[in-house]
Amino acid sequence: TDPGSSVLATLDVRRDTSAFQFSANPETQLQAMLEISNNLSNTLSVQDILPKVLDSLFKIFVQADRGFVIMRPSPDRPLVAVASKARRGDDSQEIRFSKTIVEQAMEAQKAFLSADATTDERFHMAQSIADFEIRSLICAPMISSDGKSLGVLQIDTSDQRSRFTDQDLEVLVGVANQAAIAVDNAKLHEESVRQQALERDLEVAHQMQHAVLPKSSPQLPGYHFFEFYEAASQVGGDYYDYVMLPEGRVAAVVGAVAGRG
């Protein structure tokens, strides 16, 4: 109903909404899902996943001129294109994306299709759109398993005769869902690897700490020494030792570290 907007379709892809139904050509759907599944099935690195997603999109959408995966490197960092692809090499020097569109997709968790982005007031004529004369674009957010926006997939074309359709939008949403699952799995794998490395480090620290403790109690006439040591976790902040002094004396040393974090 808005005469100043050329947005032809949107899809609400939030996790708490009912599942959408595909209406695109079944062969196109199958090609998209098989392509992305085959490429991502054995990939456990986020850096490897994202370029493969774009490669798949360019095979599925032959009219696409540019493609982006936009994410935040960390929660407090601005959105950046963590992966990009251009069908023609001369476009790769000036690859930019519209932050206006991406932020709308991530905040509303909706996929967008625009027939002619250069005249779409909804996107406030972003500079990247003006520079490239983008005639048609589709973008879809990648939603994590806990309902958070991981980033956005966006592809566009400057060919007015090859505009994207609402069926293309539905296929892109399906690919974005597959990509989100792969990114989720890769992050879990990376976290597991970091945890295993931490556990190895803690085990070494545990062995080193016990190595500096006395191996036996002093043998002193008239005295019996007993000691017990157990850290609350793998590594503790406590220490004890026996120090032999002149004239048959023995010093028992106990140290406790507080506030070590």
Side-chain angles (χ1 to χ4, degrees):
T1 58
D2 181 2
S5 175
S6 61
V7 172
L8 297 185
T10 63
L11 279 176
D12 194 333
V13 295
R14 290 174 295 177
R15 293 285 180 181
D16 56 355
T17 57
S18 58
F20 60 87
Q21 296 296 319
F22 278 109
S23 62
N25 183 290
E27 291 148 306
T28 304
Q29 295 171 29
L30 182 61
Q31 180 186 4
M33 296 303 106
L34 287 178
E35 184 79 34
I36 202 74
S37 296
N38 290 336
N39 278 342
L40 303 184
S41 58
N42 296 318
T43 306
L44 293 174
S45 168
V46 175
Q47 288 75 17
D48 294 336
I49 288 171
L50 304 180
K52 290 184 177 182
V53 170
L54 291 177
D55 290 341
S56 297
L57 290 178
F58 270 57
K59 292 179 181 178
I60 297 164
F61 302 104
V62 295
Q63 72 270 52
D65 290 321
R66 286 164 296 272
F68 310 95
V69 182
I70 302 106
M71 302 177 72
R72 297 186 193 277
S74 61
D76 57 341
R77 299 283 297 278
L79 290 165
V80 296
V82 293
S84 59
K85 184 178 178 68
R87 193 172 296 279
R88 295 187 297 275
D90 55 351
D91 286 345
S92 61
Q93 300 299 321
E94 297 184 279
I95 284 186
R96 294 195 300 276
F97 64 92
S98 170
K99 293 182 180 178
T100 307
I101 300 172
V102 171
E103 287 174 354
Q104 286 190 24
M106 288 188 66
E107 291 176 8
Q109 293 194 339
K110 288 186 177 180
F112 286 96
L113 159 66
S114 182
D116 191 343
T118 59
T119 62
D120 198 331
E121 293 179 3
R122 183 168 184 156
F123 300 140
H124 310 295
M125 196 53 182
Q127 189 62 39
S128 54
I129 293 176
D131 290 347
F132 288 111
E133 296 184 350
I134 296 172
R135 294 300 177 187
S136 182
L137 68 85
I138 50 177
C139 66
M142 297 182 293
I143 312 299
S144 68
S145 57
D146 58 359
K148 296 180 180 179
S149 296
L150 297 174
V152 169
L153 299 184
Q154 177 182 315
I155 55 175
D156 60 59
T157 178
S158 56
D159 189 348
Q160 193 170 3
R161 300 166 298 177
S162 302
R163 295 177 177 178
F164 298 109
T165 67
D166 55 347
Q167 296 176 349
D168 293 330
L169 184 67
E170 292 177 344
V171 172
L172 184 65
V173 167
V175 173
N177 285 340
Q178 290 286 330
I181 293 171
V183 170
D184 264 346
N185 290 340
K187 287 184 174 181
L188 287 173
H189 173 73
E190 291 173 355
E191 179 60 31
S192 175
V193 171
R194 285 193 295 268
Q195 183 64 30
Q196 291 175 12
L198 175 60
E199 290 175 356
R200 287 195 299 269
D201 290 344
L202 287 173
E203 178 59 28
V204 171
H206 172 82
Q207 294 173 6
M208 291 176 63
Q209 185 173 49
H210 280 259
V212 301
L213 298 177
K215 299 295 187 293
S216 61
S217 303
Q219 301 299 316
L220 193 65
Y223 291 89
H224 173 70
F225 295 89
F226 173 81
E227 64 279 330
F228 175 78
Y229 181 90
E230 182 177 2
S233 55
Q234 286 177 281
V235 179
D238 303 315
Y239 170 80
Y240 72 92
D241 198 4
Y242 301 108
V243 182
M244 306 306 295
L245 299 175
E247 300 177 358
R249 293 177 299 157
V250 176
V253 182
V254 177
V257 177
R260 65 187 182 277

